[in-house]
Amino acid sequence: MSAAQTQAQPAPRPRGSLRPGAVVVAALLAVLALVLNNDFYLRIMFMCGVYYLCAAGMNVLAGYAGQKSLGQAGLFAAGAYAVALLTTRWEWHPALALAAAPVVAAGVGLLIALPSLRVKGPSLALVTLAFGIVAEKLVTEWTDVFGGAQGIYGIAPLAIAQTPFSLQQWVWLVIGLSLAVHLALARAFRGRFGRALLSLQFDEIAAACSGIAVYRYKTLAFMVAAALCGLGGALVAQQNQYFNSDFITFHLSVFILLLVLLGGAGTIYGPLAGAVVLTLAEVFLAQWPFAQHFVYGGMLLFALYLMPRGIVGLFDRWRPAPPELPAAPNGAELPVRPVAKGVPLLQLSGICKNFGGVVTAQDVNLVLEPQRIHALIGPNGAGKSTLINILTGVIPPTAGTLTLQGRDMTRAGAHRLAAAGVARTFQNLRLFGAMSVLDNVLVGAHSRLGQGVPEAQARQEVMAVLAFTGLLAHAQARAGSLPYGVQRRVELARALASRPALLLLDEPAAGLNPQETRELGQLVRRIGALGVAVLMVEHDMSLVMNISDHIVVLDRGLVIAEGNPKEIQSNPRVIEAYLGSDAGLEE
């Protein structure tokens, strides 16, 4: 597992519809604000809340979706200047301006995300860093609009009966907003949205082949982070009634990222822990500003290398036990996706694929029928993996058409093909290793949840899939900690959870011992008996000949033979092109 994945390992997400602990803490903080009469302490509480909002948004982007951004200062400014300009130039009501600020910031975030999210990792951080620098220069130099270093004065604050909010009331407001954000995100993280985001940081290809629109979810995460950061900026601007370019520096972007990394990326309480600790550290270090960068840099290194789960990771031993799993249906067969009759399930016509001057598929014509076990075989370099990737939308063909149940899906992409009933496993395992087996398989049901299936029903169906594949005992286990053969079954279960019409297995027996291979063959037969069409790419000829109804032979990107196992075994062209002898084609 990579360092980035280790750092972002999520705590088991909480269940239930209400978080009474969060409500109690918020109530106690509100009482504390009532008791405190010192503006200094109230100011610290206010900034803790603002930083929590920024960190909660950053946690969505970096902690769950795994996208590191160094441009949050620019989004903080977007919210602040939005509320400043709306109240001073256009004389909006302060409450409406505050409500509009996160919308404006989310729009700016969208404009940044559209080009930025085409890149990953360090490249993404550099692109967002460039945005932060441009934003800082823009507000500094465009004095007619943003006031430059002088800033904008007279920003209208929230008021009651024409009386501006006191600092105590601002603290209450930020506590209420923080509680609302916490409850909303906790609910989102424990369901379809949270699983989708987590899957992105572990394996985008596997996520897409599970029905997740990768680019759309990454963009949404960026917009949520931008909106909450913009809300934080708007609160600061209105409370101060003043804002200038000094507020938005590279230091602020690093500080917001550090809030998440130090608190615990990918955990619901990490942003809160980071906000409290770093706000207090900022107050303490205010008398030694020259030391701030050194201290924050040390904290960042400490969080990355010595405390990868952040402050909240120190309390893992007191984490509550996972909730009880729903019972698996007794004796119920897995439901099968209905398919249109009278048309081929999937048809390839004239498929070609070139990688520069290398041709990996040449005029491939293929028809896959429902309720049959197909096999795709051929020597190494025959183009089998290329064809599987085309079938599942991972790569587009150079020419030709792909039709699924009469619909042209040539350019549909992986997530749309998955939603339409095409599921797959991979030659090299692509599990979400830090997630539980249950959550891995629930990711496979993502597209069905998007089609109106309730979460509770999806969990019942997933439990049936786990029972069918013999994985019930491993439901709560971390997928990456299981033996290799069991991990292979988890990947298969994830594909079955989408209720596929066509299941593609890319070398499913690779790395399995003979006993596991026999069990796999029995499991594939049971899947075929349900009515699911199977296309299997496999080098184990014994497995292929024993369970296949129809075999396609590929050589150098060309289909050289099709037929049942006996026809393929006796085909001279197959024997010559594939192995050079018939020894390896015997059952």
Side-chain angles (χ1 to χ4, degrees):
M1 187 182 301
S2 70
Q5 289 176 330
T6 301
Q7 173 193 320
Q9 284 182 15
R13 287 183 298 281
R15 312 297 179 194
S17 58
L18 182 64
R19 302 185 62 79
V23 176
V24 170
V25 170
L28 291 175
L29 290 173
V31 171
L32 179 62
L34 179 64
V35 173
L36 289 175
N37 293 319
N38 189 310
D39 280 359
F40 176 73
Y41 296 123
L42 289 173
R43 179 71 182 176
I44 292 174
M45 291 184 68
F46 175 74
M47 291 310 300
C48 272
V50 168
Y51 287 144
Y52 168 76
L53 292 173
C54 296
M58 191 64 177
N59 192 37
V60 175
L61 182 64
Y64 279 79
Q67 310 298 309
K68 304 298 188 293
S69 171
L70 289 174
Q72 298 307 101
L75 299 169
F76 189 89
Y81 280 107
V83 79
L85 294 172
L86 288 174
T87 58
T88 58
R89 297 203 176 188
W90 292 287
E91 298 183 351
W92 279 39
H93 189 282
L96 290 177
L98 181 62
V103 178
V104 172
V108 174
L110 175 61
L111 293 177
I112 303 165
L114 291 177
S116 300
L117 292 178
R118 300 292 182 183
V119 297
K120 303 176 184 178
S123 298
L124 174 62
L126 289 175
V127 171
T128 55
L129 172 60
F131 160 72
I133 294 172
V134 169
E136 183 180 356
K137 291 296 182 183
L138 179 67
V139 299
T140 302
E141 303 296 335
W142 198 356
T143 55
D144 291 343
V145 176
F146 302 107
Q150 183 178 354
I152 299 177
Y153 290 86
I155 301 170
L158 296 179
I160 299 177
Q162 306 301 318
T163 302
F165 270 22
S166 66
L167 186 52
Q168 186 181 68
Q169 289 170 321
W170 281 108
V171 172
W172 286 338
L173 174 63
V174 81
I175 289 173
L177 290 172
S178 297
L179 177 62
V181 167
H182 175 83
L183 294 176
L185 291 180
R187 182 178 180 84
F189 287 155
R190 69 172 174 261
R192 178 175 182 259
F193 178 73
R195 286 191 299 269
L197 290 183
L198 282 173
S199 70
L200 299 185
Q201 67 170 296
F202 297 128
D203 197 313
E204 291 185 10
I205 292 177
C209 291
S210 298
I212 295 169
V214 171
Y215 188 65
R216 186 184 308 160
Y217 270 87
K218 287 164 67 174
T219 302
L220 181 58
F222 210 106
M223 292 177 67
V224 170
L228 291 178
C229 206
L231 177 59
L235 287 168
V236 168
Q238 279 196 315
Q239 194 276 323
N240 286 336
Q241 301 181 45
Y242 164 72
F243 198 84
N244 75 346
S245 58
D246 291 342
F247 285 88
I248 53 168
T249 62
F250 176 63
H251 166 83
L252 178 60
S253 293
V254 174
F255 186 82
I256 292 172
L257 180 59
L258 183 58
L259 289 170
V260 176
L261 297 181
L262 184 66
T267 64
I268 192 63
Y269 290 109
L272 178 60
V276 172
V277 171
L278 283 177
T279 303
L280 294 176
E282 186 179 46
V283 171
F284 178 75
L285 292 171
Q287 53 191 319
W288 300 296
F290 64 89
Q292 284 185 336
H293 294 292
F294 294 103
V295 174
Y296 292 149
M299 285 183 171
L300 182 58
L301 291 173
F302 182 77
L304 289 174
Y305 294 103
L306 299 178
M307 204 164 53
R309 281 187 51 78
I311 295 170
V312 296
L314 301 176
F315 302 95
D316 279 350
R317 69 182 67 180
W318 294 288
R319 188 189 307 170
E324 287 189 18
L325 297 171
N330 289 325
E333 288 289 358
L334 297 183
V336 177
R337 182 186 296 257
V339 296
K341 296 184 178 180
V343 295
L345 175 61
L346 186 141
Q347 184 170 5
L348 299 181
S349 302
I351 290 292
C352 300
K353 183 62 183 179
N354 303 331
F355 293 96
V358 179
V359 179
T360 55
Q362 304 180 52
D363 195 28
V364 174
N365 298 290
L366 180 65
V367 175
L368 302 180
E369 298 291 349
Q371 302 181 353
R372 301 187 74 188
I373 298 177
H374 306 264
L376 178 64
I377 65 173
N380 290 330
K384 303 184 296 297
S385 294
T386 297
L387 198 58
I388 289 291
N389 285 333
I390 290 173
L391 284 169
T392 52
V394 174
I395 58 174
T398 305
T401 58
L402 184 158
T403 305
L404 181 67
Q405 298 189 73
R407 296 167 53 199
D408 187 349
M409 303 288 281
T410 310
R411 305 288 171 178
H415 74 277
R416 289 193 180 92
L417 277 164
V422 178
R424 71 170 292 180
T425 64
F426 295 87
Q427 179 180 354
N428 299 313
L429 278 172
R430 288 183 176 270
L431 287 178
F432 312 124
M435 296 169 65
S436 70
V437 169
L438 178 64
D439 278 344
N440 265 268
V441 182
L442 277 167
V443 169
H446 178 86
S447 57
R448 287 184 39 72
L449 284 162
Q451 295 164 0
V453 175
E455 177 85 9
Q457 180 183 335
R459 286 180 174 274
Q460 287 284 352
E461 293 180 3
V462 163
M463 293 305 293
V465 171
L466 293 177
F468 182 84
T469 52
L471 292 169
L472 274 178
H474 304 289
Q476 299 283 22
R478 190 167 62 88
S481 68
L482 297 173
Y484 182 81
V486 179
Q487 290 188 45
R488 279 281 183 192
R489 273 190 286 145
V490 174
E491 194 175 51
L492 180 55
R494 184 179 67 194
L496 287 175
S498 66
R499 196 182 288 185
L502 173 63
L503 175 63
L504 295 98
L505 306 177
D506 193 353
E507 299 196 26
L512 302 185
N513 61 42
Q515 176 62 29
E516 290 171 332
T517 301
R518 284 192 294 272
E519 292 173 354
L520 171 68
Q522 294 167 2
L523 182 56
V524 173
R525 281 186 180 275
R526 289 172 59 204
I527 293 170
L530 295 174
V532 178
V534 177
L535 176 62
M536 178 175 61
V537 174
E538 185 52 67
H539 285 294
D540 187 323
M541 288 298 105
S542 177
L543 177 63
V544 169
M545 297 301 168
N546 283 331
I547 70 172
S548 301
D549 302 312
H550 176 250
I551 300 175
V552 178
V553 186
L554 201 65
D555 184 35
R556 298 179 185 177
L558 291 168
V559 176
I560 61 171
E562 289 188 65
N564 60 43
K566 289 187 178 179
E567 292 170 339
I568 294 301
Q569 284 177 304
S570 59
N571 188 308
R573 189 176 179 188
V574 173
I575 295 169
E576 180 182 357
Y578 187 68
L579 291 175
S581 71
D582 60 357
L585 296 176
E586 295 296 329
E587 295 187 24

